[in-house]
Amino acid sequence: MTSGQPGTGNARPTPTGAAAESPTTAAAGTPTQQNAMTKQVAAEGGTAVSASTAKGTDASKGTDPAKGTDPAKDSGTAKDSGTVDGAAKDSAAIKDSKPAKDGEPAKGAKADGTDGADGTDGKDKGDSEAKPVGPERWEAFASAPEPKPSIFSRVGRAVGRFLIHEWTLAALGALALAVLMTWPTLRYPRYTLPQDYWDPSLQAWQMAWSGHILLAEPARLWQSNTFFPELWSFAFSDTLLGYAPAGMLGSGPEDAVLRYNIMFVLAHALATLGAYALARQLGAGRIGAAVAGVSYTYAPWLLAQAGHLHVLSNGGIPLALAMLARGHGWSLRHGYRPERRHDGWVYAGWLVAAWQLSLGFGIGLPFAYFLAGAVLVTAVLFFARRLRTGQAVPFGRRLFAADVLGGVLFAGVGLLMAFPFFKVTELHPYAERTIADISLFSPPASGFVTAPGESRIWGGLHEGARAALPWHPEMTLLPGFVLYALAAGGLFFSVWRLRHRLLLLAGVLLTMAFAMGTRFFDGTFTYVPLFEHLPGWSGLRTPGRLMLWTTLLLGLLAAGAVTALTDRVRELTAQRIPSWPGPWLRMATLLPLLLVTVEGLNTTPHPVVPTQPAAMRSAEGPLLVLPSSQSLDQHVMLWSTSGFPDVVNGGSGFTPRQLDDVRRVSQSFPDQTSVDYLRTLGVRTVVLLRGQVAGTPWEINIDAPVESLGISRQEVGDDAVVYRL
């Protein structure tokens, strides 16, 4: 390296007061240096200034090397520094010798190679004269600036991103699958109900009543218009109170049936989406999560529950768990990641959990105890890790506050919901379940491989096995043979860690033991302790519905196996050259999802709902509709949605003794004893349905004269006789 160039250890000294020599100044020192610089610039693709044209830099012109140029001056950003003789002027020759950018002429030189200072000499025209700056030579060839998008373009892009987002597609897919898998529920949604028209009629009334009364008189919510004159009658069975907003739309029986069918389909869609979200949050791939969602929603055993919307409305369970796991930054595959914490998801998770609890305790109570146990175990593990490592595990005050407030909200909803049920137990102690009731509905081990009659694939094949079960609607608990196989494979080939697989297996076996009720060693170590010691557990008479948790855990095991399979297929297709088999291999990964879906196909009947009698549209309450029984009264409850008059009739999980007395005394209606008794209760109208009196005492009495009883009789249409007491 030549002396005086930057980067050397023996830089040429400058006189006192002169600016430090810049690289360009050093390059213009001698002809030899000029030639070297010219070659260097030419090699870099720039435009070199030869020694013969850079006159201002020739040593023969007497340029004093001591009068160097200030580097700051060259850049145009600093003032002149002091010089030897009082004032140093800018050197145009130094500017001319600067290397040019790629593809552009050197700064200060014309395109034809002449000197920028009129080609005469190297002196500037004036020290203070500014050189005009023209447009860049190649500016016309530059890419045009991207136009600023309009508000409509931005909105369109945002909508497009939303429509193709994974969760949008998952929600739409779950909804479309629900419509197909529950068909023909939405074929005649105002006139038919899935499975039967007894319990669905009751639940259609429940949604209608809660929506109506919360708009009209919220304080009377638990004092329903049925079971007159009983108190707290809305708490005689699970209430589906969380569907009250839907009940605020429409009126009358047909709208109630339509509302029920819509919520029936949406409940399936929510269950699929919730289980999908949980599997995705825990670390499963899309196809694996879809297998978990479909198997959780359309397990064959759930086909026997098609008439129990409060059982099918279970999507809030996995969805709340997914939100809580997301808010706490935890997944099964990746563990605890504090940087992913978000208190907003925690609030949302507790809110969804509270909504799920409001649908009923049949499914919500085990969920509440599971959440309580999960919080306790998490707290113990959190502090145990802190004591073991001696380091504070990141959690945060905001997350802690979200858990406290969310837990208080959940507990508050639970207590508000539980209070009316405790009042019912206090007023009707015989309504509480006993161990004998639990034994009646406890399924044997064979129930786990027996499908209900509504299963299109296995229903006919398992007819003999169902006949051996004492109460097969609650004992056919097959979650699916495909699901069993995928879950078994997930024990050996999975993305979950071994300890997590073993924990999931333990959960499967434990929930199965609880679902057997008293059939597993008489329930001594499983169901009976819960029945005797946990508040509210004695109200659960059907242990087999705990199969819901078994199905969810099996689905997570299956999701781990399918995710491992899809990951392996992706690796194989990426390594193959050519990758022709790749699309076929990827399509093969959809086979588990297809098989799980096919096994969930059903033959659920959709009977036509009995038409509301014309007399029920105008009858004034309190009224009694005869004949009266558990199943017939559920129709009366549905018919009462036209104006919600007080009716003595009602159907629920238990029958109040007063209603039993009414049914017994009214067997001889119309006679003086029954008329006096009904007047004592406050009944003012009795509707006797002609179409249902065949084979009953009323078949003879329906046309008997009533003038001597002090009541009136009126024929209303061809289907009813109305008595006014």
Side-chain angles (χ1 to χ4, degrees):
M1 182 175 294
T2 308
S3 175
Q5 290 179 328
T8 62
N10 52 353
R12 185 171 53 188
T14 57
T16 305
E21 186 178 6
S22 68
T24 53
T25 307
T30 63
T32 303
Q33 294 173 340
Q34 293 174 11
N35 293 336
M37 180 61 72
T38 301
K39 293 179 180 180
Q40 180 180 356
V41 174
E44 296 175 357
T47 304
V49 182
S50 65
S52 61
T53 58
K55 296 180 181 180
T57 62
D58 194 351
S60 62
K61 293 291 183 178
T63 303
D64 188 356
K67 296 181 180 181
T69 305
D70 189 0
K73 191 75 174 179
D74 290 345
S75 62
T77 58
K79 294 182 180 180
D80 296 339
S81 60
T83 58
V84 174
D85 296 329
K89 297 181 179 180
D90 295 338
S91 174
I94 296 175
K95 294 182 180 180
D96 292 344
S97 64
K98 289 184 179 180
K101 296 180 180 179
D102 294 345
E104 297 183 5
K107 189 175 181 180
K110 294 183 179 180
D112 56 0
T114 60
D115 196 344
D118 295 336
T120 55
D121 54 17
K123 297 181 180 180
D124 293 335
K125 291 183 179 181
D127 293 340
S128 61
E129 183 178 352
K131 186 175 182 179
V133 180
E136 290 291 339
R137 179 187 181 101
W138 306 106
E139 185 176 358
F141 295 93
S143 59
E146 185 178 355
K148 184 178 181 180
S150 64
I151 185 173
F152 299 104
S153 299
R154 293 195 299 270
V155 171
R157 291 177 184 178
V159 172
R161 287 193 299 269
F162 172 78
L163 292 178
I164 63 174
H165 196 277
E166 176 187 354
W167 296 111
T168 303
L169 297 177
L172 294 176
L175 183 59
L177 185 64
V179 173
L180 294 175
M181 295 294 285
T182 60
W183 190 261
T185 298
L186 294 183
R187 186 177 183 180
Y188 304 109
R190 299 175 69 90
Y191 308 105
T192 63
L193 286 170
Q195 196 175 55
D196 57 56
Y197 43 59
W198 295 302
D199 283 352
S201 294
L202 161 65
Q203 293 170 336
W205 166 82
Q206 287 174 329
M207 285 188 282
W209 167 257
S210 60
H212 159 75
I213 202 64
L214 288 178
L215 289 177
E217 192 178 353
R220 198 191 156 193
L221 171 64
W222 299 102
Q223 319 300 332
S224 74
N225 71 310
T226 60
F227 294 98
F228 178 85
E230 297 284 355
L231 301 176
W232 307 99
S233 54
F234 193 49
F236 284 0
S237 57
D238 277 340
T239 61
L240 294 175
L241 185 59
Y243 289 150
M248 297 176 182
L249 305 175
S251 62
E254 288 188 359
D255 286 346
V257 172
L258 173 63
R259 183 187 306 115
Y260 179 92
N261 285 320
I262 292 175
M263 300 312 297
F264 179 82
V265 175
L266 291 180
H268 284 80
L270 181 62
T272 304
L273 181 62
Y276 176 88
L278 179 59
R280 286 290 284 154
Q281 172 58 33
L282 295 182
R286 292 183 176 88
I287 299 178
V291 168
V294 173
S295 64
Y296 176 75
T297 307
Y298 303 104
W301 76 272
L302 280 169
L303 298 177
Q305 304 292 333
H308 301 144
L309 184 58
H310 62 293
V311 177
L312 299 177
S313 299
N314 52 56
I317 294 175
L319 184 60
L321 295 177
M323 289 178 171
L324 291 173
R326 172 66 179 86
H328 289 85
W330 185 84
S331 71
L332 198 62
R333 194 172 183 179
H334 305 291
Y336 177 54
R337 292 180 287 182
E339 68 278 4
R340 291 179 174 264
R341 293 169 297 169
H342 197 292
D343 57 315
W345 284 111
V346 175
Y347 285 114
W350 284 112
L351 186 62
V352 172
W355 173 79
Q356 176 66 55
L357 189 62
S358 71
L359 294 176
F361 285 114
I363 296 299
L365 189 64
F367 178 47
Y369 281 117
F370 173 82
L371 281 179
V375 170
L376 181 61
V377 170
T378 302
V380 170
L381 293 177
F382 185 86
F383 287 107
R385 180 179 177 184
R386 181 172 183 177
L387 292 175
R388 186 178 68 254
T389 61
Q391 297 178 352
V393 182
F395 194 81
R397 294 182 179 179
R398 293 181 58 181
L399 202 62
F400 179 76
D403 279 323
V404 171
L405 294 177
V408 169
L409 170 66
F410 180 79
V413 171
L415 291 175
L416 290 176
M417 291 285 296
F419 179 77
F421 289 92
F422 284 122
K423 294 294 293 184
V424 170
T425 303
E426 179 183 341
L427 295 173
H428 308 278
Y430 50 87
E432 195 168 4
R433 312 300 179 185
T434 64
I435 291 294
D437 296 327
I438 304 303
S439 300
L440 181 64
F441 294 99
S442 295
S446 60
F448 296 120
V449 291
T450 305
E454 292 84 357
S455 173
R456 184 176 294 274
I457 304 299
W458 307 114
L461 297 174
H462 291 184
E463 184 175 357
R466 287 194 302 274
L469 299 175
W471 185 253
H472 65 81
E474 296 290 349
M475 296 181 180
T476 50
L477 302 179
L478 175 68
F481 290 113
V482 175
L483 183 59
Y484 275 144
L486 292 174
L491 294 175
F492 304 97
F493 179 70
S494 176
V495 295
W496 311 135
R497 298 176 184 176
L498 179 59
R499 67 174 182 270
H500 294 153
R501 286 178 256 168
L502 294 177
L503 286 174
L504 289 174
L505 176 62
V508 168
L509 298 177
L510 186 64
T511 53
M512 279 185 167
F514 279 101
M516 292 177 67
T518 59
R519 293 295 187 104
F520 186 80
F521 295 101
D522 295 329
T524 305
F525 308 104
T526 55
Y527 204 87
V528 172
L530 302 182
F531 182 87
E532 293 178 345
H533 301 293
L534 287 186
W537 200 274
S538 59
L540 307 181
R541 65 172 179 172
T542 50
R545 294 175 183 176
L546 291 176
M547 193 65 187
L548 189 71
W549 293 91
T550 306
T551 308
L552 182 59
L553 296 174
L554 288 171
L556 294 178
L557 274 173
V562 175
T563 301
L565 174 63
T566 55
D567 289 349
R568 182 59 178 159
V569 167
R570 190 178 299 110
E571 294 174 1
L572 290 175
T573 55
Q575 294 171 1
R576 291 189 63 86
I577 299 176
S579 61
W580 173 79
W584 297 102
L585 288 175
R586 284 192 288 270
M587 288 182 62
T589 60
L590 296 174
L591 184 60
L593 177 60
L594 178 62
L595 293 177
V596 168
T597 305
V598 169
E599 198 171 15
L601 295 175
N602 68 85
T603 57
T604 302
H606 286 72
V608 177
V609 181
T611 305
Q612 179 191 34
M616 288 290 296
R617 302 187 190 122
S618 57
E620 297 180 359
L623 62 90
L624 169 67
V625 179
L626 295 175
S628 174
S629 65
Q630 170 74 10
S631 57
L632 296 177
D633 282 2
Q634 291 172 332
H635 300 154
V636 176
M637 299 172 80
L638 176 62
W639 296 335
S640 73
T641 55
S642 293
F644 293 96
D646 289 333
V647 295
V648 178
N649 306 73
S652 69
F654 80 101
T655 302
R657 288 178 178 172
Q658 182 171 270
L659 182 55
D660 272 336
D661 293 340
V662 170
R663 290 170 179 170
R664 177 177 49 81
V665 173
S666 61
Q667 291 287 326
S668 58
F669 184 87
D671 66 346
Q672 195 64 53
T673 302
S674 60
V675 169
D676 292 342
Y677 179 75
L678 294 177
R679 283 174 172 169
T680 302
L681 292 180
V683 177
R684 294 293 175 261
T685 306
V686 176
V687 177
L688 186 57
L689 302 178
R690 283 187 175 274
Q692 298 178 8
V693 298
T696 68
W698 299 290
E699 188 175 7
I700 300 174
N701 299 336
I702 193 170
D703 294 318
V706 295
E707 290 78 6
S708 61
L709 300 175
I711 62 176
S712 64
R713 179 181 177 277
Q714 178 185 4
E715 296 277 353
V716 179
D718 298 330
D719 56 355
V721 178
V722 177
Y723 300 88
R724 293 181 173 82
L725 309 186

